[in-house]
């Protein structure tokens, strides 16, 4: 199975900060990497798919990059409503494993 | 508006069985593979398994943690996917989400149903 790791966790940042979350796969997953945002008590929501494609309706301050084994999610200018846990997931081969999550807190 | 609604969660004893449902509306259900993902309280997301579409022979794949105990099925005439859970263990306690797979990502999720395994 492909193992997914994320860093840092947790992460504390101020409104307006640029935030970067890293996700690493245990083997190459090409660009089959998705990012989800989950707020407390809510279902996850898709942010980025295929490593760098912004899901419809997601604010443009979110962006993704990477390929192979190393990926990043960037929030260009952190807003209070971005306080959430962010998960990466590989969709290269089943089981479609998730990373452990990165909780982003607003200072 | 496309929507997924899970139902059927509840309290079950260890060793027991439960079948939960995921009803789809506002979408062409037959076009999409359906996934199940669970989340124990305070923990991360765990992929459980999926069922593909009729052209793909309704193929299923499961996580190792549930293989042999859980079965995913679907009834396209009812726009519903199911998760049959047998030989339940305490560690299966979680909120169970269904999600639609579009391309290679899960773009639509239900709100989840809570399954509690306890004596």
């Amino acid at each position: 199975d492909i193992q997914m790791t994320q860093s840092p966790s947790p992460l504390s940042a101020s409104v307006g900060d640029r935030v970067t979350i890293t996700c690493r796969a245990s083997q190459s997953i090409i660009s089959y990497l998705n990012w989800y945002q989950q707020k407390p008590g809510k279902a996850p929501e898709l942010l980025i798919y295929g490593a760098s494609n912004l899901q419809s309706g997601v604010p443009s301050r979110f962006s993704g990059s990477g390929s192979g084994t190393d990926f990043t999610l960037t929030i260009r200018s952190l807003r209070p409503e971005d306080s959430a846990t962010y998960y990466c997931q590989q969709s290269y081969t089943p089981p479609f494993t998730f990373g452990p999550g990165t909780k982003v807190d607003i200072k | 508006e496309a929507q997924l609604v899970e139902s059927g969660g509840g309290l079950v004893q260890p060793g027991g069985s439960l079948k939960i449902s995921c009803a789809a509306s506002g979408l062409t259900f037959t076009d999409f593979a359906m996934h199940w993902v669970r989340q124990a309280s305070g923990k991360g997301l765990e992929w459980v398994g999926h069922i593909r579409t009729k052209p793909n022979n309704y193929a299923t794949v499961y996580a190792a943690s549930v293989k042999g105990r859980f079965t995913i099925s679907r009834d396209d005439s009812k726009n519903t996917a199911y998760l049959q859970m047998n030989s339940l263990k305490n560690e299966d306690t979680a909120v169970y989400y269904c999600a639609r797979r579009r391309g290679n990502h899960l773009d639509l999720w239900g709100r989840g149903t809570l399954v509690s395994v306890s004596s």
Side-chain angles (χ1 to χ4, degrees):
Chain A
D1 296 358
I2 297 175
Q3 308 303 316
M4 307 299 293
T5 58
Q6 289 182 233
S7 61
S9 189
L11 183 159
S12 184
S14 300
V15 172
D17 282 355
R18 180 184 180 93
V19 167
T20 298
I21 299 169
T22 297
C23 175
R24 177 165 289 172
S26 59
Q27 66 183 72
S28 177
I29 56 172
I30 312 178
S31 293
Y32 292 93
L33 191 282
N34 309 308
W35 290 98
Y36 301 88
Q37 177 193 65
Q38 187 181 34
K39 297 182 178 180
K42 301 293 187 181
E45 294 185 357
L46 179 67
L47 292 177
I48 302 286
Y49 63 93
S52 61
N53 300 287
L54 192 67
Q55 171 68 353
S56 176
V58 173
S60 59
R61 63 180 180 275
F62 291 93
S63 64
S65 64
S67 65
T69 60
D70 296 318
F71 302 86
T72 58
L73 173 69
T74 299
I75 309 174
R76 186 178 67 241
S77 179
L78 193 67
R79 295 177 63 90
E81 59 265 36
D82 299 335
S83 177
T85 301
Y86 295 83
Y87 294 93
C88 60
Q89 183 208 24
Q90 66 85 13
S91 56
Y92 178 67
T93 187
F96 297 118
T97 40
F98 290 88
T102 293
K103 186 176 182 180
V104 174
D105 290 323
I106 309 296
K107 286 181 182 175
Chain B
E1 179 188 1
Q3 186 174 242
L4 300 173
V5 178
E6 301 91 340
S7 62
L11 177 64
V12 61
Q13 291 187 337
S17 297
L18 192 67
K19 187 174 185 178
I20 59 178
S21 303
C22 169
S25 59
L27 58 106
T28 304
F29 184 70
T30 53
D31 284 350
F32 300 101
M34 297 300 296
H35 290 232
W36 288 93
V37 176
R38 68 183 180 182
Q39 185 172 38
S41 180
K43 303 298 184 182
L45 301 172
E46 180 185 12
W47 185 81
V48 172
H50 75 188
I51 185 165
R52 299 185 70 182
T53 58
K54 183 177 180 180
N56 293 290
N57 298 314
Y58 299 123
T60 55
V61 181
Y62 301 93
S65 58
V66 306
K67 193 172 183 179
R69 300 188 299 122
F70 289 13
T71 301
I72 300 173
S73 61
R74 62 192 294 163
D75 184 337
D76 289 346
S77 68
K78 295 183 178 179
N79 291 343
T80 301
Y82 303 96
L83 179 63
Q84 173 70 48
M85 300 177 286
N86 298 331
S87 303
L88 281 160
K89 306 175 182 179
N90 290 328
E91 53 264 40
D92 295 318
T93 294
V95 173
Y96 284 75
Y97 297 101
C98 65
R100 173 182 76 176
R101 174 171 170 155
R102 177 188 288 276
N104 291 295
H105 48 275
L106 304 178
D107 74 326
L108 178 68
W109 296 64
R111 297 175 71 174
T113 188
L114 176 62
V115 173
S116 296
V117 184
S118 175
S119 55

